[in-house]
Amino acid sequence: MTGTPAPFTAGDPAPFTAGDPAPFTAGDYGARMRRAAEAAVDAGLDGVLIAPGPDLVWLTGYRPVETERLTLLVLRAGQDPVLVVPTLEAPDAAAAAPMLTLRDWADGKDPYEAAASLVGSEGRFGVSDNSWALHLLGLQRRLPDTRYVALTEALPMLRAVKDAAEVARLAEAGAAADAAYEEIRKVPFAGRREADVAADLAELLRHFGHSQVDFTIVASGPNGANPHHEAGERVIERGDMVVLDFGGLKHGYGSDTSRTVHVGEPDLEERRVHDVVRAAQEAGVAAVRPGAACQDVDRAARAVITEAGYGEFFIHRTGHGIGVTTHEPPYMIEGEELPLVPGMCFSVEPGIYLPGRFGVRIEDIVTVTEEGGWRLNTTSREMAIVD
């Protein structure tokens, strides 16, 4: 764990964080690539093709700029992993991922020719979800007898189960988000724009060690009924319920937490709705255990809200996986029968959204343990009163 940051003051630069986790090694990345190639065989695939993005970072540690030039990691069981890379980027690739064999191609040459002999003339391959259509279609033209399927569909468990080092990074990111929440409760809300509070939240996340801020939702009053409201020009008023949902990356792993606060004293219905959501979130977390289906978490949380009479106002899934991205498999939703296993990490975030009035959401990141579920967020889930 890192050291405790100094108290936040608006305008402070991000503090130096001592005790950063040890970097992943070539051995770690090699094991991940072997696991991916073996999982592909088990799924009936001939291999996996990985474009720049979160899959490539997770598998190799290499994070190239995504451009029109083809970069493609080819993984096949029984073969060494090979990275097809533009010649001008080969030195950076070699330095970042020395365990990889590189096959470079120069401007003016056909990059798909370089990839074709590695992929083979036919077969079915998993492809990272964020692959550019430009590159996938180019490869298909060169290899018309090959077929492709998205990794989320073919190998949904590839990044879903985290090892101890990954869980530690997620816990560190969660602790930083919790620290940001404790501080944001101290700033003025009434009379300020949502965008102003959102800017404070972003600054706090960076202050507590986030290298990347992905979202800072501040949804006040009727805007709280929109789960993905973009913080805007609305001035927060006394009497508003305010949904706060924020997260990003620290040490390369994600945070994502939601709490709902109230400006001044809430009325009885606002308290009731918040209590229902809090009970639903508790039920969802309590349903987390090895062997349970993902949909069981959704069912447990949804049942509480439905029984209270607000079922039609819970309009999204109960949770999503988190890791090197803030949204990834597995998903806590009806129909998802994938069993929970130790090391899975995901959100549990039920909500109630009353159009034109207000919304409430409470969210923690939870990891599956041998005994059940362990919350990575520990701030109070009681309704906080802010000024």
Side-chain angles (χ1 to χ4, degrees), residues 42 56 71 87 101 123 126 144-145 162 165 229 233 289 309 311 316 354:
D42 293 341
L56 187 63
T71 296
T87 299
T101 298
D145 293 326
K162 275 66 178 178
H229 171 69
E233 298 301 306
R289 62 185 184 280
H316 56 72
L354 303 180

Side-chain angles (χ1 to χ4, degrees), residues 24-38 58-61 75 81 99-100:
F24 294 116
T25 66
D28 295 325
Y29 293 124
R32 291 176 184 177
M33 287 187 282
R34 286 191 297 274
R35 175 150 59 99
E38 292 164 2
W58 183 77
L59 286 163
T60 70
L75 299 178
M99 79 296 292
L100 292 176

